[in-house]
Amino acid sequence: MMSRTPQFPDRTSISARRTGMYDAWGAACRPCFVSAAALWSHATLAAEPQVTEGFINASPAEVWRIFTTAEGYKQTGVAHAEVDFKVGGAIRTHYDPKGRLGDANTIVNEILAYEPERMLAIRIKQAPADFKYPDAIAGTWTVIYLTPAGDNMTQVRIVGLGYTDEPQSQAMRKFFAEGNRWTLDRIAKPYWPKCAKCVAEEAANADASTN
């Protein structure tokens, strides 16, 4: 019961009482902080991004076209592509020439954000039915950076994020590391500079075919 004439303790008593309360609270929660720190450290280590980089002998505008149009996407190796280019829009692709967009093996990427000719962020909204790591997809996304690297040359940096140290996630990380390398090399190949001898031979062959 409260006294009708409450006695307020002096500041020293309040300070001591508060200090005691904080010490007790800190002692009780210290394991929580330690556990949280350990989990944060563990999560940070587990979230190591997967990075694939390369150069394409084309302007950022041309490389941007590849990643943002249906016809451009076919240069990445897909057989079918459909792009609704806007934030929240979908990039639908299919690797099987006999397949069709909308079937079970259609890949659907959602556009999260972009800066024209500089950055495109996407996430897999629907993996194909035959994808080996469906449970590892959640929480991952990809950011594609384009950086001018001289006349008609672009540095492309593909960064996959959201991976964990779970075996399925790590297996998927390896899968995309290999896939991204293959894709980037495929995109770059048509833009490789040709040697002088190759150009001369092509010109000679072209002349011979017209005569």
Side-chain angles (χ1 to χ4, degrees):
M1 182 180 294
M2 292 182 60
S3 168
R4 292 184 181 181
T5 54
Q7 301 296 312
F8 295 99
D10 59 29
R11 290 184 179 180
T12 302
S13 298
I14 291 174
S15 176
R17 186 172 299 177
R18 285 179 177 171
T19 301
M21 289 172 62
Y22 293 159
D23 287 346
W25 182 81
C29 292
R30 194 171 295 119
C32 302
F33 292 143
V34 172
S35 298
L39 287 172
W40 175 259
S41 176
H42 181 69
T44 301
L45 291 173
E48 184 71 19
Q50 189 282 308
V51 180
T52 305
E53 297 181 279
F55 291 86
I56 297 176
N57 291 315
S59 67
E62 170 63 6
V63 179
W64 182 253
R65 180 193 67 81
I66 293 172
F67 286 108
T68 58
T69 67
E71 285 304 309
Y73 248 94
K74 292 179 182 178
Q75 292 180 235
T76 68
V78 301
H80 309 286
E82 180 182 88
V83 178
D84 179 18
F85 194 78
K86 63 183 180 183
V87 173
I91 300 171
R92 303 199 305 160
T93 56
H94 204 306
Y95 279 92
D96 186 355
K98 297 180 180 179
R100 61 178 180 80
L101 293 177
D103 69 16
N105 282 321
T106 298
I107 304 167
V108 181
N109 275 286
E110 179 185 9
I111 299 170
L112 302 177
Y114 66 89
E115 181 181 356
E117 299 183 17
R118 290 184 178 274
M119 182 276 291
L120 173 63
I122 58 177
R123 73 176 181 92
I124 296 178
K125 190 174 182 179
Q126 175 186 305
D130 59 0
F131 188 62
K132 295 180 180 179
Y133 317 105
D135 296 333
I137 283 290
T140 62
W141 71 102
T142 300
V143 184
I144 302 168
Y145 298 97
L146 307 183
T147 304
D151 293 338
N152 287 322
M153 182 174 285
T154 303
Q155 179 188 20
V156 181
R157 188 167 184 261
I158 304 174
V159 183
L161 300 120
Y163 293 102
T164 72
D165 59 357
E166 292 297 321
Q168 285 286 303
S169 185
Q170 288 300 303
M172 185 179 72
R173 186 181 188 280
K174 182 176 184 295
F175 172 84
F176 280 120
E178 295 172 353
N180 288 345
R181 180 78 270 157
W182 179 88
T183 299
L184 197 52
D185 288 347
R186 180 186 174 88
I187 293 172
K189 190 172 182 179
Y191 300 94
W192 288 348
K194 296 179 179 179
C195 65
K197 181 180 178 181
C198 298
V199 173
E201 287 178 352
E202 288 183 358
N205 291 336
D207 290 339
S209 64
T210 57
N211 293 333

